[in-house]
Amino acid sequence: MDEWWRKVSETQPDYKRHSPDFFTYENVNPYQVVPAMTNMMFTLLYDRDSRIFCAFSQQHRTDHISGKTYYIRAKGNPKLYWSQYTNGYIYASETSRTRFRIQIDGDDKNKVMIGDDFIIISSATDPKNKLGVGNGSALCMGSHSCRMLFRDFKDNFLAEVNETGETYVLKIDGAGEVWELVD
């Protein structure tokens, strides 16, 4: 949906995005603007014949807007969050969590982030404190960032317990677990 919205929002001012799953439009045919996707349904909410469509009840879904702050949580274990410790390293923790600012690299607009976007992750309180990769692929905060793709949250980060029992978050391309952004 976000990829569809990105295409539409760049070319069609008559479309409005109310939530990650709900859009409205005026004076256009949605099928002519962008080819319909198989997982989308267009319908009239109110029309001249007084038919009223009840929208689907939706569970809350985080809106992935560039420049906003989020917690980062393991999708497989919703109690496990990224947390920055005083040494600057990122740990996976069930007892603490840290908010991070995630934005599209080189873009200061509030765009919806999609998988192909290069992003920069920084501290929510200090934009100069950015996420990078330290020794042994461990994530850490510092003045230098590593560009990564937004889709890296799908399988490129892994929470791994080291020999001292600490759970570091590592950047392991293609061998990680799924992480999600939460408000």
Side-chain angles (χ1 to χ4, degrees):
M1 293 292 279
D2 291 338
E3 287 82 1
W4 176 85
W5 173 248
R6 176 71 73 80
K7 289 179 185 177
V8 168
S9 67
E10 291 173 351
T11 60
Q12 300 297 319
D14 288 338
Y15 280 76
K16 290 187 176 49
R17 185 173 198 256
H18 301 280
S19 74
D21 299 320
F22 187 73
F23 311 90
T24 58
Y25 59 89
E26 295 181 22
N27 306 321
V28 293
N29 181 341
Y31 297 105
Q32 291 175 343
V33 174
V34 175
M37 296 171 61
T38 57
N39 61 348
M40 292 186 70
M41 177 181 76
F42 295 104
T43 187
L44 297 171
L45 294 179
Y46 298 98
D47 69 6
R48 64 178 180 191
D49 294 328
S50 299
R51 291 177 288 205
I52 299 175
F53 175 78
C54 295
F56 296 105
S57 175
Q58 303 265 334
Q59 289 185 334
H60 175 74
R61 188 166 78 100
T62 301
D63 207 0
H64 300 142
I65 304 294
S66 176
K68 298 213 180 255
T69 61
Y70 304 93
Y71 294 108
I72 301 171
R73 173 176 74 185
K75 193 157 187 162
N77 179 2
K79 295 179 183 176
L80 195 63
Y81 287 85
W82 285 17
S83 182
Q84 178 186 350
Y85 281 65
T86 54
N87 64 3
Y89 282 94
I90 305 300
Y91 292 82
S93 173
E94 291 186 1
T95 58
S96 67
R97 59 187 181 176
T98 302
R99 283 189 83 81
F100 296 92
R101 183 170 311 282
I102 302 172
Q103 66 187 57
I104 297 171
D105 189 14
D107 194 355
D108 58 353
K109 298 177 193 167
N110 291 331
K111 284 186 180 177
V112 173
M113 294 180 284
I114 61 175
D116 291 337
D117 288 332
F118 282 99
I119 60 168
I120 292 178
I121 301 174
S122 62
S123 165
T125 57
D126 181 6
K128 294 178 183 173
N129 195 14
K130 298 180 177 157
L131 183 76
V133 178
N135 294 336
S137 300
L139 298 182
C140 61
M141 300 299 284
S143 59
H144 299 290
S145 69
C146 70
R147 279 176 83 206
M148 55 191 78
L149 291 167
F150 186 64
R151 69 172 163 247
D152 286 349
F153 287 114
K154 296 293 183 203
D155 65 355
N156 287 341
F157 299 108
L158 179 66
E160 187 167 278
V161 180
N162 67 8
E163 62 279 351
T164 62
E166 299 168 315
T167 307
Y168 284 93
V169 178
L170 308 175
K171 185 161 184 353
I172 308 288
D173 292 338
E177 52 197 302
V178 179
W179 298 84
E180 62 185 350
L181 306 182
V182 292
D183 295 323

